[in-house]
Amino acid sequence: MLTERSLAVSRLALPMAQTAEPRGTRRGELPPELDDPLFATAQGQLDQALERAGVDEKIAEVLRYPERALAVAIPVRLDDGSLGVYPGYRVQHSSVLGPTKGGVRYDRGVTLGECAALAMWMTWKCALLGLPYGGAKGGVRCNPRALSAGERERLTRRFTTELLPLIGPERDIPAPDMATDEQTMAWMMDTYSMQVGYAVPEIVTGKPLSVGGSVLRPEATGIGVVMVVEEAVARLGGALAGSSCVVQGYGKVGAVAAHELDRRGARVVAVSDISGGVYDERGLDLRALDRWRAEHGELAGHDGALTNEQLLELPCDVLVLAAAEDQVTAENAPRLEARLVAEGANGPTSLAADEILAERGIPVLPDILTNAGGVAVSYFEWVQDIQRLFWGPDEIRGRLADLMGGALGRVWELAEAESLSLRRAALVTSIREVAAALESRGIHP
Ligand code: NAD
């Protein structure tokens, strides 16, 4: 039955059906709702990888667009009695391998095109790890810092209600992203559960432990980064223990990665947050640094201060980028002195910088591989919720190590066999996985 909601879904779902061209969108031409620089980048990366993936052109054309998208308007009663109406989106890129999976972000920059790009990257990330998921992403365009906790709760509950035609434990499973957290996921889980009449913990991941969250989920991305780095250093003929490491971004990913590097015997010589960095060639005392940060709220002002620009150019064995996008650019890439770069953040290296680093022989461990530990443990959370049987931290660490090590191995071997950069090899691996599944299933009807 076509309800008003399902009409909204189908209106945005079919970029090809909307154009004047009866045969669909011409290659290279974006339908207006996807005309966004980030989506153009995601499609550009796909097109580059397709040159080497050996995938049937018709199958490739399907993968260039998101399968389905929903745009909603979210009315929220604000604390001062007025009403705010916020645009929200959910985009599902591919359900070929299973339900879609991806974060929900609250940010002023959220657009349908941005969600579509991030959803496509989630498809590649899940396929690379061999998870039975496709990619999705969603968000609400708002200034989360201007909303009270009560306003955020009402926004989240109404947004979840609007998403009901799309989400579900077998269909699409949200998770936290920028400015959303465990509490947001608990509200989403509760709202969904109230609609169906019983508790459905497996509708979201990244929840608090009290409602079916998983141990190690908060630390998973940072730990996964270090698992990939350790294996890559070994493959390059070195050892992580004793290596000098620099970590840009000391947040949920970077701080965990720095402590994990330290735990494995590496020397963390510099870390930074948005206020600036701290450097000690002998290795930082991270616990003392945490106490300082807890007291002062930021790293700026600590002994050994340096700027983020200086930090990126420090000589080191491993540079972990765990802050934000576009940190290594054509401008600073020629001055980097790291022997290996690991992308803990999404998109921290620009396309131009990537080429410069490749020419300089500096390998880059790409984001869709390196920061996939978060979605891996989200998958474990979903599996535990479905079977109502929970695993301990050692079991989860072991399974995470197997997934990350397996993915790195596949990427490394393809890069060597076909003379590709690690990024290109990661994308080619993922695209081949999804394309093989799509080819087997065929195009319906
Ligand atoms: P966060 O907000 O917890 O931490 C970000 C850190 O980077 C903070 O210390 C912040 O001060 C610093 N920072 C921000 N902009 C900076 C800049 N321009 N220069 C220097 N430092 C800067 O965020 P997070 O969850 O750690 O995410 C970091 C990156 O990792 C993002 O790109 C995110 O998309 C990506 N990521 C996160 C996860 C996850 O599980 N949290 C999973 C996959 C990818």
Side-chain angles (χ1 to χ4, degrees):
M1 191 181 70
L2 267 185
T3 61
E4 213 170 302
R5 278 217 177 94
S6 62
L7 271 174
V9 174
S10 57
R11 255 205 318 274
L12 279 164
L14 299 169
M16 295 209 263
Q18 293 196 335
T19 64
E21 290 249 323
R23 283 175 177 274
T25 305
R26 258 198 303 264
R27 206 185 154 104
E29 183 187 308
L30 286 175
E33 67 277 11
L34 292 176
D35 196 358
D36 173 279
L38 206 63
F39 187 70
T41 302
Q43 264 202 352
Q45 285 182 356
L46 169 62
D47 287 338
Q48 279 184 358
L50 282 169
E51 289 165 16
R52 302 296 293 265
V55 166
D56 181 285
E57 225 173 85
K58 292 189 286 297
I59 295 291
E61 189 60 12
V62 176
L63 298 177
R64 299 180 81 245
Y65 301 98
E67 272 178 20
R68 192 176 287 142
L70 175 64
V72 298
I74 308 158
V76 181
R77 249 188 296 278
L78 301 176
D79 293 346
D80 65 3
S82 65
L83 192 78
V85 182
Y86 301 89
Y89 307 97
R90 184 76 182 169
V91 181
Q92 299 171 346
H93 172 255
S94 168
S95 62
V96 174
L97 290 169
T100 52
K101 186 91 193 76
V104 167
R105 56 174 55 179
Y106 293 168
D107 188 75
R108 279 198 278 217
V110 170
T111 61
L112 182 78
E114 180 190 76
C115 292
L118 294 162
M120 187 188 278
W121 284 321
M122 280 302 292
T123 298
W124 311 142
K125 197 180 286 192
C126 293
L128 185 58
L129 259 75
L131 307 181
Y133 289 142
K137 204 78 175 191
V140 178
R141 188 154 68 242
C142 64
N143 176 4
R145 279 160 295 280
L147 297 172
S148 68
E151 290 166 343
R152 277 202 304 277
E153 176 172 357
R154 293 193 288 281
L155 176 84
T156 301
R157 288 186 181 279
R158 181 63 186 251
F159 184 44
T160 308
T161 309
E162 297 296 339
L163 292 184
L164 286 175
L166 242 62
I167 59 172
E170 308 291 335
R171 307 182 69 189
D172 183 2
I173 305 130
D177 195 76
M178 281 161 61
T180 58
D181 56 13
E182 286 194 348
Q183 178 60 71
T184 322
M185 293 304 112
W187 289 327
M188 290 191 88
M189 178 265 182
D190 184 67
T191 306
Y192 186 87
S193 300
M194 287 298 108
Q195 300 293 324
V196 295
Y198 52 90
V200 188
E202 59 270 34
I203 177 63
V204 289
T205 60
K207 302 176 293 291
L209 283 179
S210 60
V211 288
S214 175
V215 290
L216 223 73
R217 174 62 189 82
E219 303 90 350
T221 308
I223 291 176
V225 168
V226 178
M227 287 172 170
V228 170
V229 166
E230 183 160 42
E231 177 73 25
V233 170
R235 282 174 184 256
L236 290 168
L240 186 61
S243 295
S244 57
C245 301
V246 169
V247 180
Q248 189 208 25
Y250 201 64
K252 291 190 287 290
V253 178
V256 172
H259 278 275
E260 186 72 12
L261 287 165
D262 184 62
R263 212 174 66 82
R264 294 180 186 223
R267 200 160 37 92
V268 179
V269 296
V271 300
S272 68
D273 64 15
I274 198 157
S275 71
V278 179
Y279 174 57
D280 185 341
E281 203 204 333
R282 296 163 299 171
L284 295 166
D285 178 345
L286 295 176
R287 276 178 199 82
L289 200 65
D290 290 344
R291 286 194 295 275
W292 162 276
R293 193 175 57 140
E295 197 181 320
H296 297 85
E298 56 183 24
L299 295 175
H302 193 279
D303 290 346
L306 80 176
T307 65
N308 265 291
E309 290 71 26
Q310 292 167 326
L311 173 129
L312 291 174
E313 295 171 22
L314 287 171
C316 61
D317 294 312
V318 182
L319 169 63
V320 177
L321 301 171
E325 60 281 341
D326 267 335
Q327 294 302 300
V328 179
T329 61
E331 198 276 316
N332 61 3
R335 298 192 298 275
L336 252 60
E337 287 196 52
R339 297 174 65 190
L340 174 70
V341 173
E343 294 186 330
N346 283 316
T349 312
S350 75
L351 287 174
D354 226 14
E355 279 178 27
I356 295 169
L357 295 179
E359 275 163 22
R360 297 186 57 213
I362 301 175
V364 178
L365 293 166
D367 46 9
I368 61 166
L369 166 68
T370 314
N371 69 31
V375 71
V377 177
S378 271
Y379 166 59
F380 299 155
E381 181 177 333
W382 180 71
V383 170
Q384 293 172 84
D385 287 338
I386 289 172
Q387 62 185 10
R388 304 293 196 265
L389 179 66
F390 291 85
W391 306 332
D394 292 344
E395 172 139 26
I396 293 183
R397 238 179 210 273
R399 287 177 184 269
L400 179 64
D402 287 349
L403 280 185
M404 301 303 288
L408 177 81
R410 283 192 293 281
V411 169
W412 203 277
E413 276 137 36
L414 184 72
E416 284 188 341
E418 299 193 18
S419 303
L420 301 173
S421 69
L422 293 169
R423 187 186 313 282
R424 187 76 69 94
L427 278 168
V428 167
T429 305
S430 307
I431 291 161
R432 284 179 180 163
E433 289 284 327
V434 183
L438 187 53
E439 192 127 26
S440 301
R441 285 182 59 163
I443 305 292
H444 175 79

